[in-house]
Amino acid sequence: MTNRLQNKIALVTGATSNIGRAIATALAAEGARVIVSGRDADRGAQVIAEIREAGGHADFVRADLTGDPSASAGLAADALALTGGRLDILVNNAGVYPLHSTADAGDDLFDLVYGVNVKAPFHLVQALVPALAASHGVILNLGSWVARLAVPSSPLYSSSKAAMEALTRAWSSELGPRGIRVVGVSPGVIRPLGSDPEAPHRSDTLMADAPTGRAGEAADIAAASVYLVSDDASFVHGTTLDVDGGRANVAVSAERDAA
Ligand SMILES: NC(=O)c1ccc[n+]([C@@H]2O[C@H](COP(=O)([O-])OP(=O)(O)OC[C@H]3O[C@@H](n4cnc5c(N)ncnc54)[C@H](OP(=O)(O)O)[C@@H]3O)[C@@H](O)[C@H]2O)c1
């Protein structure tokens, strides 16, 4: 721990599970006060208890981020009420990734995926721009390797994550001049929290073609996120960092099979 985020206040959506939880605890371990958000209050309580037991500062704010502007505005208002109106870091992590095909995707599924993954963070940013501009803050968006490397099982999800990459660039251009830095992190397949890092896991099969040949850990995304929201990355704008074991850019299966 290096206290890279001392005196910073962060809001992490979807912080009640896996990647968001790891990001929230990592930011807190670097000195940030973290607003943990999600729908599940029990898991939210566990996350803030873990952070507090480690000597960090955290509060839970429940929010169901459906994409309705009032839901995102409500989370923004509740978070700012706790922090006295200040926010330095927003992590748009909450996301859903139901498997589907184009043929069987109904309008409800379309609205669910785009509501949670695109509309909710869009409206959250709308609501929090004044606070983030005042603090010269940072927005970190979660993308995914499937935004750029096609897979057949989730066209709506893949395109929603491509939208977040595009928004990362668009917001960087639009909000950068107002003092807000906007960056993204694009995970490869990540194991659920608590799986044995030494033992093979079914998530590994989707990563067989990558240089790592295995899935990543939520901690891998958290470590990159700490860097991206810290002043160490103060010259990093509008880009999305692939933290995916090489999955989206490199294929090695032929060489591996031949070896
Ligand atoms: N896991 C991977 O392999 C992977 C790979 C690439 C990208 N990603 C991206 O990384 C992010 C986190 O993924 P994950 O695997 O950690 O997901 P996860 O374990 O399924 O957790 C999703 C989180 O989002 C929250 N959430 C879902 N719907 C919500 C809603 N309507 N309102 C508020 N919160 C909501 C959940 O909160 P509650 O549980 O409290 O409802 C939970 O905290 C997502 O954006 C995902 O697309 C994941």
Side-chain angles (χ1 to χ4, degrees), residues 3 21 48 125 143 164 197 203 216-217 230 253:
N3 285 332
R21 179 180 184 141
I48 65 169
V125 166
M164 291 313 293
S203 316
E217 307 287 331
S230 76
S253 62

Side-chain angles (χ1 to χ4, degrees), residues 26-98:
L27 300 189
E30 291 284 351
R33 175 182 174 189
V34 182
I35 310 295
V36 168
S37 188
R39 290 171 302 182
D40 190 313
D42 291 338
R43 280 193 275 113
Q46 287 170 23
V47 178
I48 65 169
E50 183 187 336
I51 290 173
R52 289 174 181 175
E53 277 161 24
H57 301 281
D59 298 283
F60 176 69
V61 176
R62 189 186 177 283
D64 185 0
L65 299 174
T66 56
D68 187 321
S70 65
S72 294
L75 170 58
D78 290 347
L80 293 177
L82 273 174
T83 67
R86 194 169 135 217
L87 190 71
D88 302 286
I89 298 162
L90 168 63
V91 182
N92 284 317
N93 167 78
V96 289
Y97 39 92

Side-chain angles (χ1 to χ4, degrees), residues 68-245:
D68 187 321
S70 65
S72 294
L75 170 58
D78 290 347
L80 293 177
L82 273 174
T83 67
R86 194 169 135 217
L87 190 71
D88 302 286
I89 298 162
L90 168 63
V91 182
N92 284 317
N93 167 78
V96 289
Y97 39 92
L99 296 180
H100 59 276
S101 68
T102 297
D104 67 22
D107 217 34
D108 287 352
L109 190 78
F110 197 111
D111 287 346
L112 169 72
V113 174
Y114 270 71
V116 177
N117 294 2
V118 183
K119 287 184 73 179
F122 186 88
H123 292 304
L124 196 54
V125 166
Q126 269 182 332
L128 288 170
V129 158
L132 289 165
S135 67
H136 285 199
V138 186
I139 298 168
L140 173 65
N141 294 321
L142 269 286
S144 171
W145 64 282
V146 298
R148 274 171 284 117
L149 186 66
V151 294
S153 54
S154 55
L156 288 172
Y157 174 66
S158 299
S159 59
S160 75
K161 287 297 171 180
M164 291 313 293
E165 277 202 34
L167 281 171
T168 299
R169 289 188 290 273
W171 282 333
S172 181
S173 172
E174 180 187 353
L175 304 176
R178 296 184 61 180
I180 302 174
R181 204 159 57 77
V182 188
V183 285
V185 62
S186 180
V189 178
I190 299 300
R191 289 172 169 222
L193 273 184
S195 60
D196 177 357
E198 303 304 323
H201 189 271
R202 65 179 185 284
S203 316
D204 293 337
T205 53
L206 276 169
M207 296 289 280
D209 279 351
T212 54
R214 62 164 180 80
E217 307 287 331
D220 296 322
I221 308 307
S225 300
V226 167
Y227 161 70
L228 285 168
V229 303
S230 76
D231 288 344
D232 289 345
S234 60
F235 205 53
V236 181
H237 281 254
T239 195
T240 294
L241 177 63
D242 292 331
V243 183
D244 66 354

